[in-house]
Amino acid sequence: MRAAAPLVHGATGSVTRALVADGLLAAGARPMLTESEQEAPTLVTVADALLVNLGSLSGDGMAGLLPTARAAVEHGVPWVLDPTAVGLAPVRTPLAHELLALGPTVLRGNASEVITLTGGSGRGRGADSTLGPDAAAKAARALARSSGCVVAVSGPVDLVTDGRQVVRIASGSPRLTRVTGTGCLLGALTAAHLPGVAPFVAAVAATALLTVASDRVGPMGPGSFKVALVDALDAVTGDEVAAEVDLSWT
Amino acid sequence: MRAAAPLVHGATGSVTRALVADGLLAAGARPMLTESEQEAPTLVTVADALLVNLGSLSGDGMAGLLPTARAAVEHGVPWVLDPTAVGLAPVRTPLAHELLALGPTVLRGNASEVITLTGGSGRGRGADSTLGPDAAAKAARALARSSGCVVAVSGPVDLVTDGRQVVRIASGSPRLTRVTGTGCLLGALTAAHLPGVAPFVAAVAATALLTVASDRVGPMGPGSFKVALVDALDAVTGDEVAAEVDLSWT
Amino acid sequence: MRAAAPLVHGATGSVTRALVADGLLAAGARPMLTESEQEAPTLVTVADALLVNLGSLSGDGMAGLLPTARAAVEHGVPWVLDPTAVGLAPVRTPLAHELLALGPTVLRGNASEVITLTGGSGRGRGADSTLGPDAAAKAARALARSSGCVVAVSGPVDLVTDGRQVVRIASGSPRLTRVTGTGCLLGALTAAHLPGVAPFVAAVAATALLTVASDRVGPMGPGSFKVALVDALDAVTGDEVAAEVDLSWT
């Protein structure tokens, strides 16, 4: 991924935009975070990948999501859908279903969000899930099969499935949940890995990168952790990620 | 507050949103920073507290403030009004008065903003006040009496009043004024302390938390200070805040 | 500049707003980053300088740019135009030309953006230029002559021209390109230097400040660099900048 320096277009919330941009740059991608309805559908056509994240967008940003995703599909740009806080925010549920119907390459969310999209009650409250990823494994597999996309579920243990095989990735630092935007960043890193790579492999590689980078950060407070995480994304090599990641297949 | 992990809905400017979110997380609360008119009035109904901050919002975010505050009032969600730069920005003055008429639980501002809301000339220029908090003590007391809410005024010495008693809190690091968003963060921390606590006590506790945390950060530049402040909010305990805060009553 | 503590109004993208605000504060200016069409044209009238940056604005923010720039011109507020990603984003090219026609005090961009504004093909892809600043020297000089403003071009070597003289400023840390927002920050620092100073001198001084500050940061990852850059902007003195900057005239 570093060699290709993919241009990643991200529609992502204003709270996390700086971390997403810096994390993409540190990992070797080039971010382009434009949300407006006026610009995003055009800009995405020159991008190598797209992230569509529902978190904390403005009304203008929300209005741009469907046209941007449609433009990505038309131009063959692979894309990640991150349905942040779906279920909790009423306006997001129909929007997430409409986006899902457009066929994202990868859907990435927490257990609550994935269960909500399969029609269950995700019990989501705020952007954090109250369910572990194992509770969502069944829903993720079903969603991957019905929608035809790879589904990645984050939590204490992450999992990635294409509907048949399931990979679990352990070992991410628990401090990833103590700073805002690490879920959004994972969606963005997933998008950055998509060009030229099988979606299942890209989702696993992005998750492995973030978890290994987070584990390399020593003990420190959450403010320092956020800074050191960007440093670690810059410093870690692909070989190191492959050597240090803790994967299991089922 | 940490034990309850309150869900805090914040309508706050895009400049400071990441610090507000990270500071809330570090202090043990869960942030939900959605500004849009389409979503915020619904989302606030599941929150434990609300922050309404006028600073640097988009037009869309501005349009959502009144419906969101009304929804909070209807659902008994306690809320903080932070009238950032009122007086300076013409559109904010009538909006701040409309919000004040809805009855915030706590109004938090600097001296200039509080004086402006009592009808005086706050001489505000930019988001910083050119008046000390003592000059605002009289205005704060009058505003607390007329509006029926607790008024918290920040500055070199902070004060909190319910119209009768006044608490002054000293000892915040002067570097709090050298990074953006610490005022917004204080408003958010105040909101986070409101659930189940008397508003006067919550405003004092939040101010004490921020000032004690800031004083624990050693000498360093403003970039490092902002990071270390989040670390300190995570590390400091309630007992330590109570032991280290410098309060005086009148 | 520190002594005057100028109030700098910035319309700049949400991705970089926190760094721009913290960098301005560290350098001694006071930031006021309000983008909305409803507020910005009024607020700019009390500012000492204005930055208009096209990067990652909302539709609302885009709509406010022309009225805000017009208000600056009417009230004699000096201003910087930063046409981020012009050429790449179709809607920005006519907008940038309209803004340029209003007569910015300084135009600041990378080589690709400056060449695009002179009618050439800047080959821009994302916010980064693929052209060195020397390739843009001719275009910058032509643009400065035709538009009557000072033109500053950033890249591995920066250059500033008023159409006749050209100053090149070397020595900025290459890590300036590894974090988001340093270009936006340079535009903001340029605006901060404008009040009471010749535009050519202000553009050179701002570029010198950022490059010297960046060179003072030791080897570290990009997350840490961003934090240390703000510290360095706070710590470095004008005399140190003058002593350490590497300038050449032609």
Side-chain angles (χ1 to χ4, degrees):
Chain A
M1 193 267 283
R2 270 183 218 278
L7 185 61
V8 179
H9 185 182
T12 189
S14 56
V15 183
T16 65
R17 226 167 268 171
L19 176 64
V20 166
D22 285 332
L24 283 173
L25 273 171
R30 290 172 301 136
M32 180 170 68
L33 307 183
T34 298
E35 60 164 340
S36 86
E37 186 181 5
Q38 206 178 4
E39 292 199 296
T42 306
L43 284 173
V44 74
T45 63
V46 299
D48 298 308
L50 168 68
L51 167 68
V52 172
N53 183 317
L54 305 189
S56 299
L57 287 166
S58 66
D60 181 39
M62 283 281 182
L65 295 184
L66 280 168
T68 305
R70 276 192 207 105
V73 171
E74 275 166 33
H75 288 78
V77 177
W79 61 295
V80 175
L81 174 60
D82 191 335
T84 303
V86 72
L88 179 69
V91 70
R92 297 187 195 187
T93 307
L95 180 58
H97 280 290
E98 280 191 87
L99 286 162
L100 192 58
L102 292 177
T105 318
V106 177
L107 182 130
R108 193 217 75 81
N110 63 28
S112 162
E113 291 153 3
V114 169
I115 289 170
T116 297
L117 287 179
T118 57
S121 166
R123 286 189 285 151
R125 189 151 186 267
D128 290 324
S129 172
T130 55
L131 297 163
D134 284 327
K138 199 179 155 189
R141 213 185 270 238
L143 189 59
R145 286 182 183 172
S146 65
S147 67
C149 70
V150 166
V151 175
V153 186
S154 59
V157 176
D158 290 359
L159 68 85
V160 177
T161 182
D162 58 3
R164 294 183 309 278
Q165 52 188 339
V166 177
V167 169
R168 285 181 170 73
I169 301 115
S171 88
S173 166
R175 280 165 296 166
L176 283 170
T177 64
R178 298 298 314 283
V179 296
T180 47
T182 56
C184 304
L185 176 55
L186 179 51
L189 292 172
T190 303
H193 280 79
L194 285 177
V197 177
F200 186 79
V201 175
V204 172
T207 307
L209 171 59
L210 187 64
T211 54
V212 167
S214 74
D215 271 333
R216 290 184 149 224
V217 178
M220 55 181 70
S224 296
F225 173 77
K226 194 172 184 174
V227 173
L229 181 64
V230 174
D231 290 349
L233 286 170
D234 173 67
V236 73
T237 66
D239 287 348
E240 289 167 343
V241 171
E244 294 172 27
V245 69
D246 181 2
L247 291 179
S248 64
W249 294 70
T250 50
Chain B
M1 194 268 281
R2 271 184 218 277
L7 185 61
V8 178
H9 185 183
T12 188
S14 57
V15 183
T16 65
R17 228 167 264 171
L19 177 64
V20 166
D22 285 332
L24 283 172
L25 274 171
R30 290 172 300 138
M32 181 170 66
L33 308 182
T34 298
E35 61 164 341
S36 85
E37 186 180 8
Q38 207 178 3
E39 292 199 295
T42 306
L43 284 173
V44 73
T45 63
V46 300
D48 298 307
L50 167 68
L51 166 68
V52 172
N53 183 316
L54 306 189
S56 300
L57 287 167
S58 65
D60 181 40
M62 283 282 182
L65 295 184
L66 279 167
T68 304
R70 276 191 207 106
V73 171
E74 275 166 33
H75 288 78
V77 176
W79 61 295
V80 174
L81 173 60
D82 190 334
T84 303
V86 72
L88 179 69
V91 70
R92 297 188 193 184
T93 307
L95 180 57
H97 280 290
E98 279 190 87
L99 286 162
L100 193 57
L102 292 177
T105 318
V106 177
L107 182 131
R108 193 216 76 79
N110 63 28
S112 162
E113 292 154 1
V114 169
I115 290 171
T116 297
L117 288 179
T118 57
S121 165
R123 286 189 285 151
R125 189 150 185 268
D128 290 323
S129 173
T130 54
L131 297 164
D134 284 327
K138 199 179 156 189
R141 213 185 269 238
L143 189 59
R145 286 182 182 172
S146 65
S147 66
C149 70
V150 166
V151 175
V153 186
S154 58
V157 177
D158 290 358
L159 68 85
V160 177
T161 181
D162 59 3
R164 293 183 309 278
Q165 52 188 338
V166 177
V167 169
R168 284 180 172 73
I169 301 116
S171 88
S173 166
R175 279 166 297 164
L176 283 170
T177 63
R178 298 298 314 282
V179 296
T180 47
T182 55
C184 304
L185 176 55
L186 180 51
L189 292 172
T190 303
H193 280 79
L194 286 177
V197 176
F200 185 79
V201 174
V204 172
T207 306
L209 170 59
L210 187 65
T211 54
V212 167
S214 74
D215 271 334
R216 289 183 149 225
V217 178
M220 55 181 69
S224 297
F225 174 77
K226 193 172 184 175
V227 173
L229 181 64
V230 174
D231 290 349
L233 286 170
D234 173 67
V236 73
T237 66
D239 286 350
E240 290 167 342
V241 171
E244 295 173 28
V245 69
D246 181 3
L247 290 179
S248 63
W249 294 71
T250 50
Chain C
M1 195 267 281
R2 271 182 218 278
L7 185 62
V8 179
H9 184 182
T12 189
S14 56
V15 183
T16 65
R17 227 167 266 170
L19 177 64
V20 166
D22 285 331
L24 283 172
L25 273 171
R30 289 173 301 137
M32 180 171 66
L33 307 183
T34 298
E35 61 163 342
S36 86
E37 186 181 7
Q38 207 179 4
E39 291 199 296
T42 307
L43 284 173
V44 73
T45 63
V46 299
D48 298 308
L50 167 68
L51 166 68
V52 173
N53 183 317
L54 305 189
S56 299
L57 287 166
S58 65
D60 181 40
M62 284 281 181
L65 296 184
L66 280 167
T68 304
R70 276 192 207 104
V73 171
E74 276 166 33
H75 288 78
V77 176
W79 62 294
V80 175
L81 173 60
D82 190 333
T84 303
V86 72
L88 179 69
V91 69
R92 298 187 194 186
T93 307
L95 181 58
H97 280 290
E98 279 190 87
L99 286 162
L100 192 58
L102 292 177
T105 318
V106 177
L107 182 130
R108 192 216 77 80
N110 63 29
S112 163
E113 292 153 1
V114 169
I115 290 170
T116 297
L117 288 179
T118 56
S121 165
R123 286 189 285 151
R125 189 150 185 268
D128 290 323
S129 173
T130 54
L131 298 164
D134 283 328
K138 200 179 156 189
R141 213 185 270 238
L143 189 59
R145 285 182 183 173
S146 65
S147 67
C149 69
V150 166
V151 176
V153 186
S154 58
V157 176
D158 290 358
L159 68 85
V160 178
T161 181
D162 59 3
R164 294 183 310 278
Q165 52 188 338
V166 177
V167 169
R168 286 181 170 73
I169 302 115
S171 88
S173 166
R175 280 166 297 165
L176 283 169
T177 64
R178 298 298 314 281
V179 296
T180 47
T182 55
C184 303
L185 176 55
L186 179 51
L189 292 172
T190 303
H193 280 79
L194 285 176
V197 176
F200 186 79
V201 174
V204 171
T207 306
L209 170 59
L210 187 64
T211 54
V212 167
S214 74
D215 271 333
R216 289 183 149 224
V217 178
M220 55 182 70
S224 297
F225 174 76
K226 194 171 183 175
V227 173
L229 181 64
V230 174
D231 290 349
L233 286 170
D234 174 67
V236 73
T237 66
D239 286 350
E240 289 167 343
V241 171
E244 294 173 27
V245 69
D246 181 3
L247 290 179
S248 64
W249 294 70
T250 50

